[in-house]
Amino acid sequence: MNGGSHVSVQQLSAAKLDSEELRTRLLKPDVISGSEILLRSLLLEGVECVFGYPGGAVLYIYDAMHGNPDFKHLLTRHEQGAIHAADGYARSTGKVGVCIATSGPGATNLVTGIATAYMDSVPLVVITGNVATTFIGTDAFQEADITGITMPITKHSYLVRDVKDLSKTIREAFHIANTGRKGPVLIDIPKDVSSHLTEFQYPEEVNIRGYNPTVMPNKGQVNKLLQAIEEAERPVILAGGGVVYAGAHEELLEFAQKTRIPVTTTLLGLGGFPSGNELWMGMPGMHGTWTANTALQNCDLLIGIGARFDDRVTMKVSAFAPKAKIAHIDVDPAEIGKTVPTAIPCVGDVKMVLELANQKAKPAKSEAWIQQVNEWKAEHPLSYKDSEEELKPQWVVEMIHRQTNGDAFVTTDVGQHQMWAAQYYRFNHPRRWISSGGLGTMGFGFPSAIGVQVANPDATVVSINGDGGMQMCSQELAICAIHNIPVKIAVLNNQVLGMVRQWQEIIHGQRFSHIDLAGSPDFVKLAEAYGVKGLRASNKEEADAAWQEAMNTPGPVLVEFVVRRDENVYPMVQAGTSISEMIMGDAE
């Protein structure tokens, strides 16, 4: 494969460090190059597949890959495709995703993906090449200060100037990426460092001065929270992506059931609490459910768990949860009190905090509140005006949910289709929902699905995209065809930048400016040009049949759904207004 041969998705994810003989061989103190140290170190960290794109500054590293049967690498068609694939791999597994690119433009092409992972607390180790140490700072060919460029969007970054420091650096990078509040770490390796020789020694332990994340909660603060719960009559849990990343979904379910508190899950928290549970109210915020937003505005105790109270949830902060005492559980102390005033801070790993709380948790005085919430759910469900003449995007998402039994890994791009997928595909398991939340990165959806499929070769992986975002990384169709990566790609084609059009319609007086995507390619022909089966549907009967054919096809398939151009996402809360001020659309 490293020499260019085509392999299956099962082979891509086959690098498992389950052999003691292999581990012994990797740890052998041979005198080897920096490039070989890198590959050995990645294997010792349990890395199954690296996503990357070669270039001059990483040629020694790619030469070390040649003929190495233990090391798996997937050649993407763009560096941004590589880092989004590594991101999808990490989100769907909880493991550290790894990507590699060359210096200069190769490294800078990773910046959007690094920022995407940083905003959403995704553990990545990003490896870049650089010019030789003797040329650093001279404006050499393809030189860029990538550590300086990415300083605000990484947990930490390293410029390795001595090959003797390389193995220690890699060990530290994985530790930092995957502990505390997780995130991307960058390792910049000059070309001469990758070629120099030294004796390989891999550190058994990591001890980083000044880096000691607080994971054990303060028992006194947890007791204060439990006391507040017992006194509360209208409590709400706001669960975020931190619940998913901490593997705390079972503890959250137990906590909610013991305390009898309704739960709303943020965009990145979807799947952290089962959507089929009676206590679930849906997603809050700008495009949240009427029930979730109304409950937030009327609760007397709000418990944020692994959620950062971002602006798309709170909207007008001064009007957010005005009747509530706020408690906040988070591993990152910097998030507590950053946006909303917090009465009960609980710093620590979400799983550990909930485990401790569950030992003594008692019910709130919430039965009348739960009845009220259930009445709201019955009176104000998510709804849309269906059509037998036009294909509605909400119906398409519901159909995909039905045909996949709600059990697929779903990745999305960013825009209207993302919100419809969040609203109408119901998740009962964590790590099945993969979407760019904080940065809102167009082009993320499809390549992230490739990483998810590599990590989960036997699972159903669905990538839901708009016609705008699909064109930003469509070149990665090539690797789906080459390696038979069986991602099922849905393109909701409304021939417009839909979310921008919706804002221009509602907020900017229908002054539609530069949103027309009618000149987009024929997506069926585009897929076929790369060797991927392409299908198209314009009505419900065609859509059902096309998706069934896609599901029954053993390889990758792209289905273009021609949907209504002027459909809007509702509910909607305009920027600068309270989440009480919901525009309900057809439901009004």
Side-chain angles (χ1 to χ4, degrees):
M1 171 183 162
N2 300 307
S5 60
H6 300 169
V7 297
S8 69
V9 66
Q10 282 79 11
Q11 289 172 300
L12 281 172
S13 59
K16 310 281 187 184
L17 196 65
D18 54 7
S19 166
E20 195 58 39
E21 180 274 331
L22 175 59
R23 184 174 181 83
T24 300
R25 175 158 52 85
L26 292 172
L27 286 170
K28 189 177 179 183
D30 297 322
V31 175
I32 55 177
S33 70
S35 297
E36 292 168 311
I37 287 172
L38 173 64
L39 302 196
R40 282 200 192 185
S41 299
L42 293 177
L43 288 170
L44 286 166
E45 289 292 340
V47 174
E48 298 171 352
C49 182
V50 173
F51 305 87
Y53 202 94
V58 290
L59 281 182
Y60 288 115
I61 297 171
Y62 276 83
D63 186 56
M65 294 181 198
H66 185 78
N68 186 331
D70 303 316
F71 193 83
K72 305 299 178 184
H73 173 280
L74 182 63
L75 172 64
T76 59
R77 293 301 182 265
H78 192 285
E79 290 90 355
Q80 189 164 330
I83 192 164
H84 290 332
D87 187 313
Y89 177 98
R91 292 188 201 226
S92 68
T93 62
K95 301 175 183 177
V96 178
V98 181
C99 63
I100 185 169
T102 193
S103 63
T108 57
N109 278 344
L110 298 173
V111 170
T112 297
I114 296 171
T116 301
Y118 183 77
M119 288 285 280
D120 290 352
S121 304
V122 179
L124 296 183
V125 168
V126 180
I127 299 158
T128 55
N130 211 330
V131 298
T133 53
T134 51
F135 287 101
I136 288 177
T138 67
D139 295 328
F141 178 66
Q142 290 192 334
E143 182 190 0
D145 177 12
I146 195 62
T147 54
I149 290 167
T150 60
M151 188 175 292
I153 53 171
T154 52
K155 275 192 76 175
H156 194 61
S157 59
Y158 294 90
L159 171 59
V160 185
R161 292 180 175 270
D162 189 328
V163 69
K164 294 177 182 178
D165 298 329
L166 186 54
S167 60
K168 178 175 179 285
T169 298
I170 296 165
R171 186 80 170 92
E172 288 184 0
F174 275 82
H175 177 71
I176 294 171
N178 210 26
T179 53
R181 181 176 182 172
K182 302 177 182 183
V185 177
L186 184 134
I187 306 174
D188 196 30
I189 306 175
K191 189 172 184 178
D192 54 335
V193 172
S194 67
S195 67
H196 287 168
L197 301 177
T198 192
E199 183 177 321
F200 178 62
Q201 292 182 327
Y202 204 63
E204 292 184 7
E205 297 180 354
V206 179
N207 185 11
I208 304 172
R209 184 177 179 182
Y211 180 73
N212 188 26
T214 300
V215 294
M216 294 300 295
N218 182 292
K219 292 182 179 180
Q221 292 302 106
V222 174
N223 288 335
K224 286 181 183 179
L225 172 61
L226 294 177
Q227 182 63 38
I229 290 170
E230 288 186 50
E231 297 170 357
E233 296 181 357
R234 302 184 311 279
V236 165
I237 291 171
L238 173 68
V243 171
V244 176
Y245 299 152
H249 53 284
E250 293 179 352
E251 289 76 13
L252 174 61
L253 178 59
E254 180 183 349
F255 182 70
Q257 290 176 329
K258 281 185 172 180
T259 57
R260 300 293 293 157
I261 301 179
V263 178
T264 176
T265 44
T266 69
L267 180 70
L268 294 184
L270 293 174
F273 190 83
S275 64
N277 189 281
E278 62 159 346
L279 293 171
W280 189 65
M281 299 184 292
M283 184 175 69
M286 176 176 279
H287 296 293
T289 65
W290 196 94
T291 300
N293 284 351
T294 304
L296 284 169
Q297 293 302 84
N298 289 279
C299 66
D300 61 1
L301 176 64
L302 174 56
I303 308 169
I305 306 179
R308 59 188 180 87
F309 293 97
D310 77 279
D311 57 289
R312 289 297 174 96
V313 168
T314 63
M315 302 307 292
K316 186 178 181 180
V317 177
S318 61
F320 176 72
K323 304 172 184 178
K325 174 189 287 188
I326 296 179
H328 193 175
I329 302 170
D330 205 289
V331 75
D332 185 358
E335 286 297 339
I336 295 178
K338 185 180 80 174
T339 302
V340 296
T342 304
I344 308 173
C346 292
V347 178
D349 177 80
V350 168
K351 187 181 180 77
M352 292 183 179
V353 175
L354 292 178
E355 283 176 346
L356 183 61
N358 284 335
Q359 293 174 12
K360 299 180 181 179
K362 295 178 180 179
K365 302 171 183 177
S366 57
E367 290 310 312
W369 174 240
I370 291 171
Q371 184 177 342
Q372 173 67 80
V373 167
N374 287 336
E375 289 175 6
W376 287 336
K377 284 196 282 188
E379 293 167 2
H380 302 281
L382 284 172
S383 63
Y384 61 95
K385 189 175 181 180
D386 202 2
S387 172
E388 296 303 319
E389 288 76 40
E390 296 178 294
L391 193 57
K392 289 295 189 84
Q394 303 96 322
W395 183 91
V396 173
V397 174
E398 289 181 319
M399 180 272 296
I400 292 174
H401 180 273
R402 184 179 70 250
Q403 288 207 30
T404 58
N405 297 314
D407 199 36
F409 287 86
V410 176
T411 78
T412 75
D413 218 88
V414 171
Q416 286 183 313
H417 71 276
Q418 178 190 31
M419 294 298 105
W420 285 317
Q423 290 176 335
Y424 291 98
Y425 197 103
R426 297 301 179 89
F427 296 90
N428 287 311
H429 305 286
R431 299 197 181 277
R432 299 298 177 91
W433 167 253
I434 313 293
S435 195
S436 171
L439 199 66
T441 302
M442 290 181 69
F444 172 85
F446 172 44
S448 68
I450 293 172
V452 174
Q453 190 77 79
V454 168
N456 305 273
D458 299 320
T460 298
V461 179
V462 176
S463 179
I464 301 177
N465 306 270
D467 47 318
M470 186 63 203
Q471 295 181 72
M472 292 192 174
C473 279
S474 61
Q475 70 281 346
E476 306 307 336
L477 285 164
I479 61 175
C480 283
I482 290 169
H483 301 294
N484 198 36
I485 299 173
V487 174
K488 311 306 178 189
I489 308 155
V491 179
L492 304 186
N493 187 1
N494 57 10
Q495 300 189 47
V496 69
L497 283 170
M499 191 61 85
V500 180
R501 186 208 59 75
Q502 178 169 337
W503 280 47
Q504 289 177 348
E505 174 191 330
I506 296 172
I507 301 172
H508 296 279
Q510 299 188 7
R511 295 185 295 277
F512 300 118
S513 179
H514 300 284
I515 55 170
D516 188 2
L517 295 181
S520 298
D522 181 324
F523 286 101
V524 173
K525 289 183 178 178
L526 180 65
E528 291 173 344
Y530 280 105
V532 171
K533 177 184 278 192
L535 304 168
R536 180 179 292 109
S538 301
N539 58 49
K540 288 182 177 180
E541 183 179 357
E542 292 175 353
D544 247 326
W547 195 255
Q548 188 64 57
E549 183 176 346
M551 292 289 290
N552 291 335
T553 300
V557 182
L558 182 149
V559 183
E560 178 187 6
F561 297 97
V562 181
V563 298
R564 183 173 183 265
R565 177 184 176 95
D566 298 329
E567 193 72 9
N568 286 337
V569 179
Y570 293 115
M572 176 184 174
V573 179
Q574 293 190 48
T577 66
S578 160
I579 58 171
S580 301
E581 303 173 65
M582 285 170 276
I583 303 170
M584 299 303 291
D586 295 332
E588 293 178 320

